[in-house]
Amino acid sequence: MAWTADRTELEWGSLSLCKKGEELCGDQARAIVPEKGDSVLVLADGLGSGVQANILSTLASTLLSRMVEGGLPLREAVDALARTLPVSKDRGNVAYSTFTIAKVTPEWAFTIYNFDNPEPLYLHGGKETPLLWDDLEIGGKAVRRARGRLAPEDALLLMSDGAVYAGVGEILNFGWTRKEIGSYMEALFSPGISAKNLATLLVDHCRVLYNSRPGDDTTALALRRRKRVNANLLVGPATNPEDDGKMMSLFFSKEGKHLVCGGTTGKVCARYLGTKVEPTLDYPDPAIPPISHIEGVDLATEGVITLNALVRLAEDYLGKNERYFDWSYREDGASLLARVLFEEASDISFFVGCAVNPAHQDPSLGISIATKMQLVEALAQSLRRMGKHIRVAYF
């Protein structure tokens, strides 16, 4: 959902923990975020765990999101699902799937329907703000509804009950209460944190409380209204040296941070800017070459090795996001790039020079122009999957 009038957009991200001993998660998070129109986000929690719970939560989340996407009013979609959702009589007439559904309009009004999941967390101005709930009966089931409006940098956090039960039988006697979750997330919230990392902070602490032996499937689905921020990434000099000036002119004329990858590329930038490259000898990570400083450039890193590390971080971010707790504070080139590209920036322009680097012509190095192009393409694809707006220009 990308509206440019106020330079804000909706960003979402989720993370799940599987119950100990299970390969499939019984929770499902699903989001439909179109360029225009309403966005729909659903978190469903299937009864039990494993394959059966996974199937039930997948059905519930898919049916809800598709009905609303197809134009059915939100309450009617909830009613249709509630009426058809079976109950398990041998478990005290408990529904086969609980769910939370949130709809956000282009005017940033949101409506939440919650059926037997923990109460969602609303962070407004960085502080937990209570939602006003209406108790309804829909399809014969007790459903709660809340309404509000997202201001810039506001966030909503939906969660399954594995979050409030975290720690039972391990570290805590009665689990992590909803009130404690609110205080914890409020303390860690910052306006620049991505939705995926917001969900990661909650789920990872649940993992700690469970002592890495989750007693239940645990999922967090976060959405936030974020400002659109530009960043520009320059990789390699132009194929024809005569085009370097044009490439640099376009690169530095763009709004936003200017990131440069590659030693030769840095020298071309410095020459264009009338300054010099000042290398550092600091190795925060011994596997990643040190960064350099160029006046007029926000970040200058080494090329292929750093890009390769960055691509691996991007793949992890799209999955379990386990390395977030490394790159969120480390000062090596890949971590610094990750903080800008994964969290700060929403719109990223790639300027890719296709010149062959003479230093890479030794076959024993296993590095070629094809390697660089593959890394650039892999990074661009991962950033698109994160919801970034990507443009790539080759020179």
Side-chain angles (χ1 to χ4, degrees):
M1 185 162 65
W3 303 295
T4 57
D6 60 1
R7 293 290 293 173
T8 61
E9 66 179 357
L10 185 70
E11 179 186 70
W12 75 280
S14 66
L15 193 65
S16 296
L17 280 179
C18 291
K19 182 180 177 179
K20 178 183 62 177
E22 300 290 353
E23 294 185 6
L24 291 176
C25 186
D27 303 335
Q28 284 293 313
R30 184 176 178 85
I32 297 175
V33 184
E35 286 291 328
K36 296 181 180 180
D38 297 340
S39 290
V40 184
L41 299 100
V42 183
L43 173 58
D45 181 355
L47 180 64
S49 59
V51 175
Q52 176 180 297
N54 179 269
I55 293 171
L56 293 168
S57 61
T58 299
L59 283 171
S61 61
T62 302
L63 287 171
L64 264 179
S65 58
R66 288 302 183 189
M67 283 190 287
V68 177
E69 183 188 28
L72 195 66
L74 186 56
R75 176 161 180 155
E76 292 183 24
V78 171
D79 179 68
L81 183 66
R83 287 180 183 277
T84 57
L85 202 59
V87 296
S88 176
K89 293 184 178 181
D90 61 348
R91 296 201 183 188
N93 291 324
V94 176
Y96 270 109
S97 182
T98 62
F99 61 83
T100 307
I101 180 169
K103 184 176 79 170
V104 184
T105 71
E107 294 74 35
W108 296 109
F110 67 82
T111 303
I112 302 173
Y113 283 86
N114 191 40
F115 172 56
D116 279 357
N117 274 343
E119 181 181 323
L121 180 68
Y122 176 39
L123 293 167
H124 172 63
K127 303 295 182 182
E128 182 186 2
T129 302
L131 293 166
L132 299 178
W133 293 94
D134 299 318
D135 293 317
L136 311 172
E137 183 176 321
I138 302 177
K141 294 181 174 62
V143 178
R144 307 187 76 203
R145 180 184 65 192
R147 294 169 173 164
R149 186 176 183 277
L150 291 174
E153 307 305 341
D154 278 3
L156 283 169
L157 190 62
L158 318 183
M159 67 194 86
S160 65
D161 60 6
V164 295
Y165 294 141
V168 172
E170 293 289 347
I171 295 176
L172 304 174
N173 289 330
F174 301 106
W176 200 22
T177 68
R178 170 60 181 73
K179 182 178 179 181
E180 290 169 332
I181 291 173
S183 299
Y184 179 80
M185 297 308 299
E186 181 180 298
L188 292 180
F189 180 79
S190 67
I193 191 170
S194 71
K196 177 63 178 276
N197 289 335
L198 195 62
T200 298
L201 289 172
L202 173 58
V203 172
D204 185 74
H205 194 65
C206 290
R207 178 191 60 78
V208 172
L209 293 176
Y210 277 124
N211 203 17
S212 296
R213 296 190 294 263
D216 193 9
D217 299 305
T218 306
T219 298
L221 169 60
L223 56 148
R224 72 174 186 126
R225 181 181 175 184
R226 66 157 295 160
K227 295 179 181 178
R228 292 184 67 167
V229 176
N230 296 326
N232 307 285
L233 180 64
L234 179 65
V235 183
T239 304
N240 187 342
E242 295 179 0
D243 292 331
D244 282 342
K246 175 185 176 182
M247 184 181 181
M248 296 297 148
S249 176
L250 291 170
F251 175 67
F252 285 108
S253 68
K254 293 279 288 184
E255 177 188 350
K257 286 190 174 181
H258 295 89
L259 317 170
V260 176
C261 292
T264 303
T265 314
K267 292 176 182 178
V268 174
C269 285
R271 186 164 57 247
Y272 175 83
L273 295 171
T275 184
K276 60 182 180 179
V277 179
E278 298 179 358
T280 67
L281 298 178
D282 298 328
Y283 276 85
D285 185 332
I288 299 175
I291 65 171
S292 299
H293 298 291
I294 305 172
E295 186 178 352
V297 172
D298 294 287
L299 175 62
T301 74
E302 181 273 341
V304 171
I305 296 174
T306 303
L307 280 176
N308 186 50
L310 181 63
V311 167
R312 293 200 302 270
L313 291 178
E315 292 169 349
D316 174 75
Y317 180 88
L318 290 165
K320 295 182 179 180
N321 203 19
E322 294 174 330
R323 300 185 65 186
Y324 166 62
F325 300 97
D326 294 328
W327 61 256
S328 62
Y329 72 92
R330 287 186 176 177
E331 296 298 315
D332 61 89
S335 295
L336 293 170
L337 284 170
R339 291 209 286 275
V340 176
L341 300 178
F342 301 174
E343 284 212 309
E344 294 180 27
S346 61
D347 298 65
I348 303 166
S349 298
F350 282 72
F351 294 79
V352 185
C354 301
V356 175
N357 190 335
H360 295 165
Q361 298 314 294
D362 184 348
S364 65
L365 294 176
I367 300 175
S368 66
I369 185 65
T371 302
K372 182 176 74 173
M373 293 299 136
Q374 289 167 359
L375 290 172
V376 168
E377 179 60 25
L379 178 59
Q381 289 295 341
S382 291
L383 291 170
R384 288 190 182 99
R385 290 174 59 198
M386 294 179 197
K388 311 292 185 180
H389 309 277
I390 304 299
R391 294 182 179 180
V392 183
Y394 294 94
F395 295 84

